[in-house]
């Protein structure tokens, strides 16, 4: 029933878009999240994830609204939709800035993840794969974001209650959050390549390289605003 309602809502949103123009910021968030977590896809749509992250970053209410949209998807009875939503959540923690991060690190949101694990709530029917991913993400955050005390406390509480039996294994060479697998054409990759080229040109001892670098500095600074 819930899945049908979501699909109907998406259809209504699509109809509104064609009749009245592009969707507003809140509707755009839902639109891209629906695409990014579409359980009918055999592989996740990374361009939709990127667009969702961009909406979170550009919409003034994005950082506060997006976590609750994600929580609804993570609690979906459809395993693939829930797993896709967890990947979006993990990606947003890497790319959506401090405001989004601080919202996710609050007990109010963490409780929504705890519900997926707790047998008193959704843990009785959530699949082991989904619960395993929630545990993996929570544990990785305790490693990568040790300053977030509430995340650590929530994780330790789940261990004390016996809901988490043991810490999952994370790669030993990963000290910081791993970069998300954006498509190679991503704006993030493009900026990174520009920066690397600019650094090489500025460090060069050849005058002609410096002449190339100076206009590039101007272009890079201008394009960042």
């Amino acid at each position: 029933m819930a899945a049908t309602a979501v699909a109907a809502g998406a259809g209504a949103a699509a109809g509104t878009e064609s009749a009245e123009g592009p969707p507003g910021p809140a509707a755009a968030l839902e639109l891209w999240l629906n695409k990014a977590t579409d359980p009918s896809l055999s592989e996740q749509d990374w361009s939709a994830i990127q667009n969702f992250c961009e909406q979170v970053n550009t919409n003034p209410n994005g950082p506060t609204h997006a976590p609750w949209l994600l929580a609804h998807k993570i609690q979906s009875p459809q395993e693939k939709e829930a797993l896709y939503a967890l990947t979006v959540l993990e990606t947003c923690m890497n790319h959506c800035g401090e405001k989004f991060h601080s919202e996710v690190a609050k007990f109010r949101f963490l409780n929504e993840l705890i519900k997926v694990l707790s047998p008193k709530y959704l843990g009785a029917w959530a699949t082991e794969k989904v619960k395993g991913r929630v545990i993996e993400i929570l544990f990785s955050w305790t490693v990568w974001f040790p300053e977030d005390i509430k995340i650590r406390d929530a994780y330790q509480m789940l261990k004390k209650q016996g809901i988490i039996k043991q810490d999952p294994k994370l790669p030993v060479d990963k000290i910081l959050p791993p970069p998300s697998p954006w498509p190679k054409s991503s704006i993030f990759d493009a900026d990174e390549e520009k920066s690397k080229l600019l650094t090489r040109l500025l460090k060069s001892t050849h005058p002609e390289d410096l002449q190339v670098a100076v206009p590039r500095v101007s272009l890079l600074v201008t394009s960042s605003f």
Side-chain angles (χ1 to χ4, degrees):
M1 183 68 71
T4 304
V6 169
T16 302
E17 181 179 352
S18 61
E20 301 178 7
L29 273 174
E30 294 192 50
L31 176 69
W32 287 117
L33 184 58
N34 284 339
K35 290 178 179 290
T37 59
D38 184 352
S40 69
L41 299 177
S42 59
E43 293 185 0
Q44 196 149 18
D45 184 344
W46 282 98
S47 64
I49 297 177
Q50 182 177 334
N51 280 307
F52 178 75
C53 286
E54 288 175 355
Q55 285 293 322
V56 173
N57 289 329
T58 57
N59 178 353
N61 296 320
T64 54
H65 187 49
W68 305 104
L69 294 176
L70 282 164
H72 177 72
K73 294 286 188 180
I74 290 166
Q75 294 172 358
S76 169
Q78 297 188 61
E79 180 184 76
K80 189 178 285 188
E81 184 174 41
L83 290 171
Y84 282 173
L86 287 164
T87 298
V88 178
L89 171 63
E90 198 170 33
T91 305
C92 287
M93 280 292 271
N94 292 354
H95 289 288
C96 289
E98 187 177 346
K99 283 189 70 176
F100 178 89
H101 184 115
S102 65
E103 285 296 319
V104 169
K106 293 177 180 177
F107 281 132
R108 187 179 170 205
F109 177 80
L110 294 171
N111 282 337
E112 298 303 311
L113 297 182
I114 291 170
K115 286 178 183 178
V116 177
L117 301 175
S118 173
K120 294 181 180 179
Y121 294 94
L122 309 178
W125 55 261
T127 68
E128 292 302 316
K129 199 168 184 179
V130 169
K131 289 189 282 190
R133 277 290 284 140
V134 171
I135 293 170
E136 182 181 272
I137 288 172
L138 286 173
F139 177 66
S140 70
W141 290 348
T142 68
V143 175
W144 295 326
F145 310 120
E147 70 280 5
D148 289 316
I149 306 301
K150 291 177 182 177
I151 293 177
R152 184 197 64 192
D153 289 349
Y155 185 80
Q156 291 301 325
M157 179 198 71
L158 290 167
K159 288 188 74 174
K160 287 178 181 177
Q161 292 181 354
I163 293 174
I164 296 177
K165 307 296 183 185
Q166 61 182 13
D167 296 338
K169 292 183 178 180
L170 296 178
V172 294
D173 59 333
K174 296 289 179 68
I175 300 174
L176 296 174
S180 298
W182 294 115
K184 290 184 179 179
S185 60
S186 163
I187 57 171
F188 297 101
D189 295 332
D191 287 344
E192 185 179 354
E193 289 304 314
K194 286 179 186 176
S195 298
K196 287 178 181 177
L197 174 61
L198 191 57
T199 300
R200 287 198 297 270
L201 291 171
L202 290 172
K203 287 182 177 179
S204 173
T205 57
H206 299 291
E208 60 270 22
D209 286 340
L210 188 59
Q211 290 176 359
V212 174
V214 171
R216 284 178 179 271
V217 171
S218 176
L219 179 63
L220 194 59
V221 171
T222 303
S223 64
S224 65
F225 289 95

